[in-house]
Amino acid sequence: MNTFAAVLMVALLPCICINRKALKQEAGSELLYEMKGALELLQRVSAHADASCWYVAWSPAGTLLASCGGDRAIRIWGKEGDSWECKSVLADGHQRTVRKVAWSPCGKYLASASFDATTCIWKKTNDDFEFLTVLEGHENEVKCVTWAPSGNLLATCSRDKSVWIWEVDEEDEYECVSVVNSHTQDVKHVVWHPTQELLASASYDNKVCIYKEEDDDWGCRATLEGHESTVWSLAFDPEGQRLASCSDDRTVKIWKESTPGDGSTDESWKCVCNLSGFHGRTVYDVAWCRLTGALATACGDDGVRVFREDPTADPEQPVFFMSAHVPKAHGQDINCVSWNPKEAGLRATCSDNGEFAIWKYNSDS
Amino acid sequence: MSGGTRLENANPLIFQRSGERRLTATDEDEDLHCYFDISINDPEHPLSLEELNVVEQMRVNVNDQESMVSVEFTPTIPHCSMATLIGLSIKVKLLRSLPDRFKIDVHITPGTHASEDAVNKQLADKERVAAALENSQLLEVVNQCLSSRAM
Protein backbone atom coordinates (compact mmCIF):
# COMPACT_ATOMS: atom_id res chain seq x y z
CA MET A 1 0.00 0.00 0.00
CA ASN A 2 1.39 3.35 -0.92
CA THR A 3 1.43 5.41 2.22
CA PHE A 4 3.16 8.16 0.31
CA ALA A 5 -0.08 8.99 -1.38
CA ALA A 6 -1.17 10.58 1.88
CA VAL A 7 1.80 12.91 2.30
CA LEU A 8 0.96 16.09 4.11
CA MET A 9 2.49 18.95 2.19
CA VAL A 10 3.38 21.54 4.74
CA ALA A 11 6.48 22.78 2.95
CA LEU A 12 5.97 26.07 1.25
CA LEU A 13 6.25 25.47 -2.44
CA PRO A 14 7.76 28.46 -4.25
CA CYS A 15 5.28 30.19 -6.49
CA ILE A 16 6.35 30.35 -10.10
CA CYS A 17 7.44 33.93 -10.69
CA ILE A 18 5.58 35.76 -13.32
CA ASN A 19 7.49 38.30 -15.29
CA ARG A 20 5.33 41.38 -15.26
CA LYS A 21 6.26 43.18 -18.39
CA ALA A 22 3.76 45.97 -18.52
CA LEU A 23 1.78 48.16 -16.23
CA LYS A 24 -1.39 49.78 -17.44
CA GLN A 25 -2.01 53.29 -16.27
CA GLU A 26 -5.26 54.13 -14.57
CA ALA A 27 -8.45 53.80 -16.58
CA GLY A 28 -8.73 56.32 -19.39
CA SER A 29 -5.10 56.45 -20.29
CA GLU A 30 -3.96 54.79 -23.45
CA LEU A 31 -0.38 54.55 -22.43
CA LEU A 32 1.00 51.11 -21.79
CA TYR A 33 4.27 51.28 -19.97
CA GLU A 34 6.60 48.61 -21.05
CA MET A 35 9.69 48.84 -18.94
CA LYS A 36 11.08 45.63 -20.18
CA GLY A 37 14.78 45.34 -19.87
CA ALA A 38 17.29 42.69 -20.67
CA LEU A 39 20.03 41.04 -18.71
CA GLU A 40 22.94 39.69 -20.66
CA LEU A 41 25.41 37.31 -19.11
CA LEU A 42 28.95 38.43 -19.83
CA GLN A 43 31.00 35.96 -17.87
CA ARG A 44 30.73 33.22 -15.31
CA VAL A 45 33.68 32.55 -13.02
CA SER A 46 34.23 29.70 -10.63
CA ALA A 47 35.66 31.72 -7.80
CA HIS A 48 35.58 29.59 -4.68
CA ALA A 49 36.05 25.91 -5.30
CA ASP A 50 33.66 23.53 -3.52
CA ALA A 51 32.27 26.29 -1.38
CA SER A 52 29.68 29.02 -1.43
CA CYS A 53 30.58 32.40 -2.79
CA TRP A 54 28.87 34.55 -0.19
CA TYR A 55 29.56 38.09 -1.37
CA VAL A 56 31.00 40.24 -4.14
CA ALA A 57 31.92 43.92 -3.97
CA TRP A 58 33.14 46.30 -6.63
CA SER A 59 36.01 48.64 -5.87
CA PRO A 60 35.03 52.35 -5.85
CA ALA A 61 36.74 52.83 -9.23
CA GLY A 62 34.74 49.92 -10.60
CA THR A 63 37.78 48.15 -11.98
CA LEU A 64 38.18 45.41 -9.39
CA LEU A 65 35.77 42.92 -7.89
CA ALA A 66 36.37 41.32 -4.50
CA SER A 67 34.72 37.98 -3.75
CA CYS A 68 34.68 35.97 -0.56
CA GLY A 69 33.41 32.58 0.44
CA GLY A 70 33.17 29.38 2.38
CA ASP A 71 36.71 28.43 1.47
CA ARG A 72 37.81 31.21 3.89
CA ALA A 73 39.49 33.19 1.15
CA ILE A 74 39.03 36.55 -0.47
CA ARG A 75 39.83 36.91 -4.15
CA ILE A 76 40.38 40.08 -6.08
CA TRP A 77 39.41 39.99 -9.75
CA GLY A 78 40.36 42.38 -12.50
CA LYS A 79 39.57 42.57 -16.16
CA GLU A 80 42.21 41.53 -18.64
CA GLY A 81 40.98 42.07 -22.13
CA ASP A 82 37.51 40.62 -22.17
CA SER A 83 37.73 38.33 -19.21
CA TRP A 84 37.93 38.61 -15.47
CA GLU A 85 41.07 37.14 -13.96
CA CYS A 86 42.12 36.55 -10.39
CA LYS A 87 44.67 39.18 -9.34
CA SER A 88 45.11 38.33 -5.68
CA VAL A 89 44.16 35.72 -3.16
CA LEU A 90 43.92 36.71 0.48
CA ALA A 91 43.87 33.33 2.14
CA ASP A 92 45.29 33.57 5.59
CA GLY A 93 43.12 36.12 7.25
CA HIS A 94 40.29 34.03 8.57
CA GLN A 95 39.73 30.66 10.19
CA ARG A 96 36.18 30.32 8.95
CA THR A 97 33.88 31.43 6.18
CA VAL A 98 34.36 35.01 5.02
CA ARG A 99 30.82 36.33 4.81
CA LYS A 100 31.23 39.84 3.41
CA VAL A 101 33.86 42.19 2.07
CA ALA A 102 33.77 45.96 1.79
CA TRP A 103 36.01 48.51 0.08
CA SER A 104 36.87 51.80 1.73
CA PRO A 105 35.60 54.84 -0.22
CA CYS A 106 39.17 55.68 -1.31
CA GLY A 107 39.70 52.14 -2.58
CA LYS A 108 42.91 51.61 -0.62
CA TYR A 109 41.48 49.34 2.04
CA LEU A 110 39.39 46.22 2.12
CA ALA A 111 37.53 44.95 5.17
CA SER A 112 36.37 41.35 5.54
CA ALA A 113 33.81 39.98 8.00
CA SER A 114 34.02 36.35 9.03
CA PHE A 115 32.25 33.60 10.95
CA ASP A 116 35.43 33.40 13.02
CA ALA A 117 34.13 36.48 14.89
CA THR A 118 36.75 38.84 13.52
CA THR A 119 36.94 41.56 10.90
CA CYS A 120 40.20 41.92 8.98
CA ILE A 121 41.47 45.09 7.39
CA TRP A 122 43.68 44.77 4.33
CA LYS A 123 45.69 47.54 2.73
CA LYS A 124 46.31 47.80 -0.97
CA THR A 125 49.97 48.15 -1.79
CA ASN A 126 50.78 48.38 -5.51
CA ASP A 127 48.92 45.45 -6.99
CA ASP A 128 48.58 43.36 -3.92
CA PHE A 129 46.91 43.45 -0.55
CA GLU A 130 48.61 43.27 2.80
CA PHE A 131 47.04 42.31 6.07
CA LEU A 132 46.87 45.45 8.19
CA THR A 133 44.97 44.66 11.35
CA VAL A 134 42.18 42.60 12.88
CA LEU A 135 39.15 43.98 14.69
CA GLU A 136 38.04 41.76 17.50
CA GLY A 137 35.28 42.00 20.00
CA HIS A 138 32.19 40.33 18.64
CA GLU A 139 31.21 37.23 20.56
CA ASN A 140 30.44 35.15 17.52
CA GLU A 141 30.07 35.30 13.73
CA VAL A 142 30.45 38.72 12.17
CA LYS A 143 27.81 38.97 9.47
CA CYS A 144 28.67 42.27 7.83
CA VAL A 145 31.17 45.10 7.61
CA THR A 146 30.64 48.41 5.86
CA TRP A 147 32.55 51.69 5.43
CA ALA A 148 30.90 55.07 5.86
CA PRO A 149 31.20 57.41 2.85
CA SER A 150 33.55 59.65 4.87
CA GLY A 151 36.03 56.79 5.17
CA ASN A 152 36.52 57.48 8.88
CA LEU A 153 33.90 55.14 10.22
CA LEU A 154 33.26 51.45 9.90
CA ALA A 155 30.33 49.40 11.16
CA THR A 156 30.13 45.67 11.86
CA CYS A 157 27.28 43.47 13.04
CA SER A 158 27.05 39.98 14.39
CA ARG A 159 24.97 37.06 15.57
CA ASP A 160 25.70 38.39 19.04
CA LYS A 161 22.87 40.87 18.27
CA SER A 162 25.08 43.94 18.39
CA VAL A 163 26.23 46.59 15.96
CA TRP A 164 29.71 48.01 16.52
CA ILE A 165 30.87 51.35 15.22
CA TRP A 166 34.58 51.85 14.69
CA GLU A 167 36.60 54.98 14.03
CA VAL A 168 39.77 54.98 12.02
CA ASP A 169 42.40 57.71 12.23
CA GLU A 170 45.17 58.83 9.91
CA GLU A 171 47.61 56.36 11.38
CA ASP A 172 45.41 53.43 10.41
CA GLU A 173 44.41 52.90 14.03
CA TYR A 174 40.97 51.43 14.57
CA GLU A 175 39.00 51.99 17.70
CA CYS A 176 35.54 50.87 18.65
CA VAL A 177 33.53 53.93 19.62
CA SER A 178 30.16 52.38 20.18
CA VAL A 179 28.37 49.09 20.71
CA VAL A 180 24.64 49.25 20.13
CA ASN A 181 22.28 46.47 21.16
CA SER A 182 18.97 47.32 19.59
CA HIS A 183 18.14 44.02 18.01
CA THR A 184 16.88 40.99 19.86
CA GLN A 185 18.43 38.56 17.42
CA ASP A 186 21.23 37.95 14.92
CA VAL A 187 22.03 41.11 12.94
CA LYS A 188 22.48 40.22 9.29
CA HIS A 189 23.46 43.40 7.53
CA VAL A 190 24.51 47.00 8.11
CA VAL A 191 24.67 49.78 5.56
CA TRP A 192 25.58 53.46 5.73
CA HIS A 193 23.54 56.26 4.25
CA PRO A 194 25.22 57.62 1.08
CA THR A 195 25.57 61.17 2.38
CA GLN A 196 24.71 61.42 6.07
CA GLU A 197 26.26 59.71 9.05
CA LEU A 198 23.33 57.43 9.46
CA LEU A 199 23.40 53.65 9.69
CA ALA A 200 20.76 51.03 9.06
CA SER A 201 20.78 47.42 10.24
CA ALA A 202 18.73 44.36 9.31
CA SER A 203 18.05 41.43 11.60
CA TYR A 204 16.74 37.91 12.17
CA ASP A 205 14.26 39.62 14.53
CA ASN A 206 12.40 40.82 11.37
CA LYS A 207 13.19 44.47 12.00
CA VAL A 208 15.34 47.23 10.58
CA CYS A 209 16.99 49.77 12.89
CA ILE A 210 18.21 53.24 12.01
CA TYR A 211 21.10 54.69 14.01
CA LYS A 212 22.33 58.24 14.38
CA GLU A 213 24.84 59.89 16.62
CA GLU A 214 23.39 62.31 19.10
CA ASP A 215 25.50 63.91 21.82
CA ASP A 216 28.43 61.64 21.07
CA ASP A 217 26.24 58.63 21.51
CA TRP A 218 25.19 56.23 18.82
CA GLY A 219 21.75 54.84 19.30
CA CYS A 220 18.78 53.40 17.50
CA ARG A 221 16.52 56.31 16.50
CA ALA A 222 13.91 54.42 14.54
CA THR A 223 12.71 50.84 14.14
CA LEU A 224 11.10 49.71 10.91
CA GLU A 225 8.62 46.91 11.36
CA GLY A 226 6.67 45.13 8.71
CA HIS A 227 8.63 42.18 7.48
CA GLU A 228 7.32 38.82 8.61
CA SER A 229 10.64 37.09 8.74
CA THR A 230 14.39 37.71 8.79
CA VAL A 231 15.50 40.84 6.98
CA TRP A 232 18.61 39.88 5.04
CA SER A 233 19.83 43.03 3.37
CA LEU A 234 19.35 46.75 2.86
CA ALA A 235 20.12 49.37 0.23
CA PHE A 236 19.64 53.13 0.19
CA ASP A 237 18.55 54.82 -3.02
CA PRO A 238 21.10 57.11 -4.71
CA GLU A 239 19.85 60.24 -2.94
CA GLY A 240 19.49 58.52 0.40
CA GLN A 241 15.82 59.33 0.72
CA ARG A 242 14.58 55.79 0.64
CA LEU A 243 15.68 52.46 1.95
CA ALA A 244 15.01 49.09 0.36
CA SER A 245 14.92 45.98 2.52
CA CYS A 246 14.65 42.36 1.46
CA SER A 247 13.57 39.40 3.52
CA ASP A 248 12.99 35.71 4.05
CA ASP A 249 9.29 36.61 3.76
CA ARG A 250 9.98 36.87 -0.03
CA THR A 251 9.20 40.55 -0.24
CA VAL A 252 11.17 43.70 -0.86
CA LYS A 253 9.94 46.77 0.96
CA ILE A 254 10.74 50.39 0.24
CA TRP A 255 10.79 52.74 3.21
CA LYS A 256 10.79 56.51 3.24
CA GLU A 257 11.60 58.82 6.05
CA SER A 258 8.84 61.21 6.88
CA THR A 259 9.33 64.15 9.15
CA PRO A 260 5.98 65.33 10.46
CA GLY A 261 5.18 68.90 9.53
CA ASP A 262 4.31 69.90 13.07
CA GLY A 263 7.90 70.75 13.91
CA SER A 264 8.59 67.79 16.17
CA THR A 265 11.87 65.97 15.64
CA ASP A 266 10.30 62.56 15.74
CA GLU A 267 11.30 60.78 12.61
CA SER A 268 9.43 57.83 11.40
CA TRP A 269 10.01 55.64 8.45
CA LYS A 270 7.02 54.35 6.59
CA CYS A 271 6.78 51.52 4.18
CA VAL A 272 5.77 53.17 0.90
CA CYS A 273 6.03 50.21 -1.40
CA ASN A 274 5.82 46.46 -1.01
CA LEU A 275 7.08 44.20 -3.78
CA SER A 276 5.52 40.84 -3.21
CA GLY A 277 4.70 37.91 -5.45
CA PHE A 278 7.88 38.27 -7.47
CA HIS A 279 10.28 36.08 -5.56
CA GLY A 280 9.86 32.36 -5.06
CA ARG A 281 12.09 32.03 -2.02
CA THR A 282 14.12 34.10 0.43
CA VAL A 283 15.47 37.34 -1.01
CA TYR A 284 19.07 37.47 0.19
CA ASP A 285 20.27 40.74 -1.23
CA VAL A 286 19.06 43.98 -2.76
CA ALA A 287 21.15 46.60 -4.54
CA TRP A 288 20.18 50.07 -5.72
CA CYS A 289 22.20 51.36 -8.64
CA ARG A 290 23.71 54.80 -8.00
CA LEU A 291 23.84 55.58 -11.69
CA THR A 292 20.48 54.41 -13.02
CA GLY A 293 18.22 53.98 -9.98
CA ALA A 294 17.50 50.38 -10.92
CA LEU A 295 16.86 47.96 -8.06
CA ALA A 296 18.34 44.47 -8.30
CA THR A 297 17.61 41.44 -6.11
CA ALA A 298 19.36 38.15 -5.36
CA CYS A 299 17.04 35.27 -4.53
CA GLY A 300 17.12 31.77 -3.14
CA ASP A 301 15.11 30.57 -6.11
CA ASP A 302 18.28 31.04 -8.23
CA GLY A 303 16.80 33.99 -10.10
CA VAL A 304 18.08 37.52 -10.64
CA ARG A 305 15.61 40.33 -11.07
CA VAL A 306 15.79 44.02 -11.85
CA PHE A 307 13.04 46.43 -10.86
CA ARG A 308 12.51 49.91 -12.22
CA GLU A 309 10.53 52.74 -10.83
CA ASP A 310 7.55 54.15 -12.65
CA PRO A 311 8.56 57.79 -13.20
CA THR A 312 4.97 59.00 -13.25
CA ALA A 313 4.01 57.63 -9.86
CA ASP A 314 3.55 59.80 -6.79
CA PRO A 315 6.92 60.01 -5.00
CA GLU A 316 5.15 59.31 -1.72
CA GLN A 317 3.75 56.10 -3.16
CA PRO A 318 6.37 54.82 -5.55
CA VAL A 319 5.58 52.05 -7.95
CA PHE A 320 8.18 49.53 -8.96
CA PHE A 321 7.82 46.76 -11.42
CA MET A 322 9.97 44.01 -12.70
CA SER A 323 11.98 45.00 -15.72
CA ALA A 324 14.13 41.90 -16.16
CA HIS A 325 14.22 38.41 -14.78
CA VAL A 326 16.60 35.53 -15.40
CA PRO A 327 15.05 32.49 -13.70
CA LYS A 328 18.00 30.15 -13.30
CA ALA A 329 20.82 32.63 -13.31
CA HIS A 330 22.94 30.34 -11.18
CA GLY A 331 22.54 26.67 -10.37
CA GLN A 332 21.97 27.45 -6.70
CA ASP A 333 20.89 30.25 -4.37
CA ILE A 334 22.08 33.71 -5.25
CA ASN A 335 23.62 35.37 -2.23
CA CYS A 336 24.62 38.78 -3.46
CA VAL A 337 24.03 41.29 -6.21
CA SER A 338 26.17 44.38 -6.74
CA TRP A 339 26.00 47.21 -9.28
CA ASN A 340 29.26 48.56 -10.69
CA PRO A 341 29.68 52.12 -9.36
CA LYS A 342 31.10 53.54 -12.59
CA GLU A 343 29.71 51.59 -15.48
CA ALA A 344 25.95 51.84 -15.82
CA GLY A 345 24.20 48.50 -16.15
CA LEU A 346 27.21 46.39 -15.18
CA ARG A 347 26.37 44.01 -12.39
CA ALA A 348 27.83 41.11 -10.47
CA THR A 349 26.04 38.27 -8.68
CA CYS A 350 27.39 35.31 -6.75
CA SER A 351 26.03 31.98 -5.64
CA ASP A 352 26.24 28.99 -3.32
CA ASN A 353 27.81 27.08 -6.18
CA GLY A 354 30.99 29.12 -5.70
CA GLU A 355 30.52 31.15 -8.85
CA PHE A 356 30.14 34.78 -9.56
CA ALA A 357 28.70 36.14 -12.77
CA ILE A 358 29.01 39.47 -14.54
CA TRP A 359 25.92 40.84 -16.26
CA LYS A 360 25.00 43.75 -18.43
CA TYR A 361 21.57 45.23 -17.87
CA ASN A 362 19.94 47.27 -20.61
CA SER A 363 16.89 49.16 -19.58
CA ASP A 364 15.40 49.25 -23.05
CA SER A 365 15.49 45.93 -24.75
CA MET B 1 24.50 17.27 25.08
CA SER B 2 26.60 16.04 28.01
CA GLY B 3 26.36 12.43 29.03
CA GLY B 4 25.85 13.19 32.67
CA THR B 5 22.37 14.64 32.49
CA ARG B 6 19.33 12.55 33.05
CA LEU B 7 17.68 11.38 29.85
CA GLU B 8 14.58 13.36 29.12
CA ASN B 9 12.71 10.56 27.51
CA ALA B 10 13.83 7.51 29.45
CA ASN B 11 11.22 5.12 28.13
CA PRO B 12 10.58 5.96 24.50
CA LEU B 13 7.90 4.23 22.54
CA ILE B 14 9.56 2.04 20.01
CA PHE B 15 8.01 1.54 16.63
CA GLN B 16 8.65 -1.22 14.19
CA ARG B 17 11.18 -0.27 11.58
CA SER B 18 9.47 -0.54 8.21
CA GLY B 19 12.10 -2.74 6.63
CA GLU B 20 15.02 -1.99 4.41
CA ARG B 21 14.62 1.08 2.24
CA ARG B 22 16.79 1.82 -0.72
CA LEU B 23 17.00 4.85 -2.89
CA THR B 24 14.54 4.11 -5.63
CA ALA B 25 12.90 6.26 -8.20
CA THR B 26 9.48 5.58 -9.55
CA ASP B 27 8.65 7.45 -12.70
CA GLU B 28 5.47 9.27 -11.96
CA ASP B 29 4.02 12.24 -13.74
CA GLU B 30 5.12 15.06 -11.54
CA ASP B 31 6.80 13.82 -8.42
CA LEU B 32 9.74 11.66 -7.90
CA HIS B 33 9.40 9.75 -4.72
CA CYS B 34 12.71 8.84 -3.24
CA TYR B 35 12.86 6.66 -0.26
CA PHE B 36 15.61 7.85 1.91
CA ASP B 37 17.44 5.55 4.13
CA ILE B 38 17.41 7.92 7.02
CA SER B 39 19.09 6.16 9.85
CA ILE B 40 19.98 8.89 12.25
CA ASN B 41 20.76 8.22 15.85
CA ASP B 42 18.93 10.17 18.48
CA PRO B 43 21.80 11.48 20.56
CA GLU B 44 20.17 10.20 23.73
CA HIS B 45 18.93 6.88 22.49
CA PRO B 46 20.98 4.30 20.65
CA LEU B 47 18.19 3.48 18.25
CA SER B 48 17.35 4.90 14.88
CA LEU B 49 15.13 7.94 14.83
CA GLU B 50 12.52 6.09 12.87
CA GLU B 51 12.21 3.44 15.55
CA LEU B 52 11.58 6.24 17.96
CA ASN B 53 8.99 7.73 15.60
CA VAL B 54 10.99 10.93 15.27
CA VAL B 55 11.14 10.88 11.54
CA GLU B 56 8.12 9.46 9.85
CA GLN B 57 8.84 8.22 6.40
CA MET B 58 5.59 9.48 4.99
CA ARG B 59 6.54 13.03 5.66
CA VAL B 60 9.33 13.14 3.14
CA ASN B 61 8.26 14.75 -0.07
CA VAL B 62 10.41 15.14 -3.12
CA ASN B 63 9.60 17.18 -6.16
CA ASP B 64 12.26 16.50 -8.73
CA GLN B 65 10.98 18.95 -11.32
CA GLU B 66 11.02 21.83 -8.90
CA SER B 67 14.19 20.49 -7.23
CA MET B 68 12.59 20.59 -3.82
CA VAL B 69 12.65 18.29 -0.85
CA SER B 70 10.55 18.75 2.20
CA VAL B 71 10.93 16.79 5.41
CA GLU B 72 8.60 17.09 8.32
CA PHE B 73 9.68 15.45 11.52
CA THR B 74 8.11 14.94 14.90
CA PRO B 75 10.41 15.22 17.89
CA THR B 76 10.03 12.40 20.40
CA ILE B 77 8.56 14.53 23.12
CA PRO B 78 7.19 18.06 22.83
CA HIS B 79 9.83 19.68 24.99
CA CYS B 80 12.76 17.86 23.56
CA SER B 81 15.71 20.23 23.55
CA MET B 82 17.36 18.21 20.86
CA ALA B 83 14.79 19.14 18.20
CA THR B 84 17.14 21.61 16.58
CA LEU B 85 19.99 19.14 16.55
CA ILE B 86 17.79 16.42 15.08
CA GLY B 87 16.51 18.82 12.44
CA LEU B 88 20.04 19.95 11.67
CA SER B 89 21.19 16.34 11.30
CA ILE B 90 18.38 15.63 8.86
CA LYS B 91 19.27 18.74 6.90
CA VAL B 92 22.95 17.82 6.79
CA LYS B 93 22.11 14.30 5.68
CA LEU B 94 20.08 15.68 2.79
CA LEU B 95 22.68 18.30 1.90
CA ARG B 96 25.28 15.56 1.63
CA SER B 97 23.10 13.10 -0.26
CA LEU B 98 21.25 15.25 -2.75
CA PRO B 99 22.46 17.04 -5.89
CA ASP B 100 23.23 20.72 -5.36
CA ARG B 101 20.19 21.90 -7.26
CA PHE B 102 17.81 20.78 -4.52
CA LYS B 103 16.21 23.20 -2.11
CA ILE B 104 15.82 21.52 1.23
CA ASP B 105 13.15 22.37 3.77
CA VAL B 106 13.25 20.63 7.11
CA HIS B 107 10.73 21.50 9.73
CA ILE B 108 8.80 20.16 12.66
CA THR B 109 5.38 18.66 12.18
CA PRO B 110 3.02 21.47 13.15
CA GLY B 111 1.58 21.17 16.60
CA THR B 112 4.13 18.73 17.93
CA HIS B 113 6.62 21.02 19.59
CA ALA B 114 6.46 23.96 21.91
CA SER B 115 9.20 25.90 20.12
CA GLU B 116 8.52 24.73 16.58
CA ASP B 117 8.53 28.25 15.08
CA ALA B 118 11.90 29.08 16.59
CA VAL B 119 13.40 25.74 15.59
CA ASN B 120 11.98 25.94 12.07
CA LYS B 121 13.32 29.44 11.59
CA GLN B 122 16.81 28.36 12.58
CA LEU B 123 16.72 25.35 10.31
CA ALA B 124 15.58 27.53 7.41
CA ASP B 125 18.40 30.04 7.91
CA LYS B 126 21.19 28.71 5.73
CA GLU B 127 23.70 31.20 7.07
CA ARG B 128 23.11 29.97 10.62
CA VAL B 129 23.31 26.36 9.46
CA ALA B 130 26.58 27.01 7.60
CA ALA B 131 28.10 28.77 10.58
CA ALA B 132 26.95 26.06 12.98
CA LEU B 133 28.57 23.38 10.84
CA GLU B 134 31.89 25.22 11.06
CA ASN B 135 31.80 24.59 14.78
CA SER B 136 33.85 21.41 15.04
CA GLN B 137 32.20 20.24 18.24
CA LEU B 138 28.73 20.58 16.83
CA LEU B 139 29.79 19.00 13.56
CA GLU B 140 31.14 16.03 15.49
CA VAL B 141 27.83 15.56 17.26
CA VAL B 142 25.97 15.81 13.96
CA ASN B 143 28.30 13.26 12.38
CA GLN B 144 27.72 10.91 15.27
CA CYS B 145 24.00 11.32 14.81
CA LEU B 146 24.38 10.41 11.16
CA SER B 147 26.74 7.48 11.51
CA SER B 148 25.26 4.46 9.86
CA ARG B 149 24.21 1.65 12.08
CA ALA B 150 23.94 -1.95 11.09
CA MET B 151 20.72 -3.07 12.71
Side-chain angles (χ1 to χ4, degrees):
Chain A
M1 204 204 31
N2 190 7
T3 57
F4 290 81
V7 163
L8 186 72
M9 275 294 290
V10 179
L12 303 165
L13 275 179
C15 54
I16 310 295
C17 297
I18 296 162
N19 192 347
R20 282 171 41 178
K21 293 179 185 171
L23 177 77
K24 286 204 176 77
Q25 288 293 82
E26 51 266 17
S29 166
E30 277 148 12
L31 275 171
L32 191 78
Y33 270 91
E34 187 146 328
M35 305 270 274
K36 191 173 153 234
L39 272 167
E40 184 197 339
L41 176 67
L42 297 180
Q43 190 179 351
R44 213 182 268 285
V45 177
S46 179
H48 296 272
D50 295 325
S52 291
C53 183
W54 280 103
Y55 210 70
V56 280
W58 293 100
S59 63
T63 52
L64 296 173
L65 185 74
S67 70
C68 62
D71 60 354
R72 304 161 187 194
I74 301 155
R75 284 188 165 74
I76 314 294
W77 306 84
K79 202 152 180 209
E80 287 197 20
D82 274 335
S83 72
W84 291 85
E85 304 290 333
C86 183
K87 301 288 195 180
S88 290
V89 181
L90 311 177
D92 296 319
H94 291 291
Q95 276 75 56
R96 295 202 183 169
T97 289
V98 186
R99 180 62 178 92
K100 294 206 175 103
V101 280
W103 295 83
S104 64
C106 62
K108 288 211 291 264
Y109 301 89
L110 194 66
S112 56
S114 168
F115 287 174
D116 68 6
T118 70
T119 303
C120 280
I121 310 291
W122 309 81
K123 188 167 181 172
K124 192 165 194 289
T125 48
N126 304 316
D127 272 335
D128 216 336
F129 280 83
E130 250 173 31
F131 171 82
L132 182 67
T133 187
V134 62
L135 307 180
E136 291 172 318
H138 279 296
E139 286 167 27
N140 46 49
E141 301 90 63
V142 187
K143 299 292 174 88
C144 189
V145 60
T146 179
W147 295 83
S150 63
N152 298 327
L153 292 174
L154 203 67
T156 57
C157 66
S158 162
R159 181 168 64 86
D160 67 10
K161 307 171 196 165
S162 67
V163 170
W164 288 47
I165 295 164
W166 308 77
E167 242 174 36
V168 53
D169 65 20
E170 305 82 42
E171 277 118 49
D172 287 345
E173 296 282 320
Y174 290 78
E175 189 195 346
C176 175
V177 295
S178 196
V179 175
V180 192
N181 289 289
S182 299
H183 285 293
T184 54
Q185 292 275 5
D186 188 0
V187 189
K188 299 293 196 187
H189 198 82
V190 272
V191 68
W192 289 95
H193 190 278
T195 53
Q196 300 168 33
E197 258 176 23
L198 184 155
L199 186 69
S201 66
S203 168
Y204 187 95
D205 67 9
N206 309 349
K207 299 186 192 138
V208 173
C209 280
I210 309 284
Y211 309 83
K212 264 193 203 168
E213 195 180 15
E214 267 166 40
D215 301 324
D216 279 338
D217 188 33
W218 282 92
C220 175
R221 310 298 170 201
T223 303
L224 280 51
E225 297 183 49
H227 278 297
E228 288 163 12
S229 189
T230 300
V231 188
W232 278 97
S233 191
L234 301 163
F236 278 100
D237 73 356
E239 297 82 37
Q241 285 168 355
R242 293 169 306 180
L243 181 65
S245 61
C246 64
S247 166
D248 178 60
D249 68 7
R250 306 176 182 191
T251 71
V252 172
K253 292 189 194 308
I254 313 288
W255 310 81
K256 196 169 154 74
E257 190 178 3
S258 58
T259 37
D262 57 7
S264 70
T265 54
D266 185 38
E267 304 144 20
S268 63
W269 290 72
K270 290 192 173 52
C271 179
V272 293
C273 183
N274 185 29
L275 300 172
S276 84
F278 294 99
H279 298 89
R281 291 180 74 89
T282 305
V283 191
Y284 287 110
D285 199 17
V286 62
W288 215 321
C289 182
R290 294 262 164 279
L291 304 171
T292 64
L295 196 65
T297 59
C299 187
D301 66 5
D302 309 350
V304 295
R305 295 166 179 80
V306 180
F307 294 85
R308 304 244 38 181
E309 193 171 354
D310 177 358
T312 65
D314 174 10
E316 295 304 312
Q317 291 187 318
V319 174
F320 283 83
F321 44 92
M322 195 158 68
S323 166
H325 175 207
V326 179
K328 286 283 169 191
H330 288 273
Q332 290 180 247
D333 287 9
I334 307 189
N335 294 320
C336 175
V337 61
S338 181
W339 292 103
N340 187 294
K342 296 294 182 206
E343 196 179 325
L346 194 65
R347 224 179 62 141
T349 54
C350 69
S351 168
D352 275 343
N353 65 4
E355 276 181 359
F356 71 80
I358 309 286
W359 308 82
K360 181 81 181 160
Y361 167 69
N362 295 301
S363 54
D364 315 294
S365 66
Chain B
M1 271 174 254
S2 62
T5 53
R6 206 167 143 275
L7 290 180
E8 283 182 56
N9 191 9
N11 293 305
L13 276 174
I14 302 193
F15 292 77
Q16 197 67 13
R17 191 175 173 152
S18 63
E20 213 31 71
R21 292 175 311 288
R22 284 169 297 107
L23 205 72
T24 60
T26 51
D27 253 312
E28 304 203 357
D29 286 323
E30 300 265 355
D31 294 4
L32 191 78
H33 289 284
C34 294
Y35 299 9
F36 288 95
D37 182 12
I38 301 180
S39 42
I40 298 173
N41 303 316
D42 183 343
E44 288 177 0
H45 301 101
L47 295 164
S48 78
L49 284 180
E50 202 219 1
E51 283 155 321
L52 294 163
N53 196 30
V54 172
V55 175
E56 292 175 5
Q57 198 62 29
M58 67 180 72
R59 310 266 190 223
V60 180
N61 191 274
V62 180
N63 185 327
D64 190 50
Q65 265 195 332
E66 305 277 323
S67 297
M68 286 184 61
V69 175
S70 163
V71 175
E72 207 174 79
F73 71 99
T74 306
T76 49
I77 52 172
H79 299 289
C80 173
S81 57
M82 302 298 242
T84 309
L85 182 61
I86 291 168
L88 183 64
S89 301
I90 295 170
K91 190 142 195 187
V92 169
K93 175 84 177 187
L94 293 172
L95 283 167
R96 289 176 182 167
S97 320
L98 292 172
D100 289 335
R101 64 184 167 95
F102 274 94
K103 307 293 182 193
I104 298 164
D105 285 314
V106 177
H107 49 269
I108 294 176
T109 308
T112 62
H113 196 275
S115 317
E116 61 194 41
D117 288 340
V119 175
N120 289 340
K121 193 170 181 180
Q122 281 213 83
L123 294 175
D125 187 320
K126 71 173 187 187
E127 188 187 65
R128 292 274 275 255
V129 169
L133 296 175
E134 284 191 326
N135 177 324
S136 54
Q137 278 183 313
L138 182 57
L139 188 60
E140 183 54 39
V141 175
V142 168
N143 284 331
Q144 276 171 21
C145 288
L146 294 176
S147 62
S148 61
R149 298 185 50 87
M151 294 215 34

